[in-house]
Amino acid sequence: MTRWIAAHRRARDIRPWQRAATARTQALLVLRWFKDATRVHLLARDAGISLATAYRYLHEAIDVVADKAPDLHDVLATARTEQWPFVALDGTLVPIAQLHGPRNP
């Protein structure tokens, strides 16, 4: 993720010397937010940046990661072609009613 963020910065930053933190710090910030749901004010404190900068870095990194993700239509087409038994879109298990089976033909 650090390389993705660094490449994003090289392509878009007009004044890279004005960044408050490194690409590594930004990557750690977003990974902690995704993995542990760490509150943004704690991420900002630990990174030594302002709260506004932490929010900006967080959203910027999420956009970078989202740009690297495959398109949903492509994933579903591949799943259909390769006959995958299921597709987990975000890793979240959601309880649902059974849609078909012995009781629901």
Side-chain angles (χ1 to χ4, degrees), residues 9-88:
R9 286 180 171 195
R10 278 192 302 275
R12 290 182 172 60
D13 278 1
I14 296 170
R15 296 180 211 87
W17 61 86
Q18 290 184 336
R19 286 283 189 159
T22 64
R24 181 180 183 276
T25 301
Q26 186 176 2
L28 289 173
L29 181 141
V30 75
L31 288 172
R32 286 181 60 203
W33 185 78
F34 275 131
K35 186 177 182 303
D36 301 328
T38 306
R39 298 179 67 131
V40 179
H41 74 276
L42 296 174
L43 295 171
R45 181 200 66 195
D46 294 347
I49 57 178
S50 72
L51 186 59
T53 301
Y55 274 108
R56 192 176 77 246
Y57 279 9
L58 179 64
H59 291 285
E60 179 184 39
I62 290 170
D63 290 342
V64 168
V65 171
D67 287 343
K68 297 291 183 181
D71 184 56
L72 177 61
H73 299 312
D74 295 338
V75 171
L76 294 177
T78 302
R80 185 177 299 124
T81 304
E82 296 181 8
Q83 299 179 348
W84 295 352
F86 63 90
V87 176

